[in-house]
Amino acid sequence: MITIKYEHKDNRFELCVDGHATSAPKGEDVICAGVSTLTITLAQALTEHSPEWLDKCVIRTMEGHSTFEIVAKKAKHYKVSIIFDTILAGYQLMWNTFPDYIQLSLS
């Protein structure tokens, strides 16, 4: 089971993606591949804009576990929100399609 937990308050964004779908053998699991692609895309987008848009950018990734601790600059909050909202839409689509393999918590 992949657990995705997202919290957003004011200019602070926190995301934790943990686990494996185990819907297929390692290397053949399209659910894990989809979640991983979204997670890596988020990391890349935030890293590209880190100094200009973010007061804090801590991203930790390893196989089966990723965490994001982000504090957006007030003037860039809207842009950072758009990035997160886009990735969260992808997670939600995957959760709607594969609810037995993904647990999603948004707050």
Side-chain angles (χ1 to χ4, degrees):
M1 170 83 57
I2 298 172
T3 303
I4 302 168
K5 183 178 179 186
Y6 172 73
E7 295 182 15
H8 174 213
K9 184 175 180 183
D10 300 324
N11 288 354
R12 185 174 191 81
F13 302 80
E14 293 184 2
L15 176 71
C16 179
V17 180
D18 196 45
H20 293 281
T22 62
S23 66
K26 186 176 180 176
E28 299 175 22
D29 194 327
V30 295
I31 299 170
C32 276
V35 170
S36 294
T37 299
L38 289 166
T39 305
I40 292 165
T41 301
L42 177 62
Q44 181 63 32
L46 293 171
T47 301
E48 284 180 12
H49 299 292
S50 180
E52 308 92 47
W53 291 11
L54 307 175
D55 286 329
K56 180 179 181 183
C57 181
V58 178
I59 302 170
R60 296 178 187 96
T61 60
M62 62 185 76
E63 185 179 340
H65 183 77
S66 297
T67 59
F68 295 75
E69 297 174 38
I70 306 299
V71 177
K73 293 182 178 182
K74 288 187 183 193
K76 300 298 182 179
H77 176 265
Y78 181 72
K79 290 184 179 194
V80 175
S81 288
I82 289 172
I83 292 172
F84 270 95
D85 288 349
T86 301
I87 298 301
L88 292 170
Y91 288 146
Q92 189 143 21
L93 177 63
M94 294 203 62
W95 173 68
N96 289 336
T97 306
F98 305 106
D100 294 337
Y101 298 98
I102 298 172
Q103 181 179 25
L104 183 62
S105 171
L106 307 175
S107 62

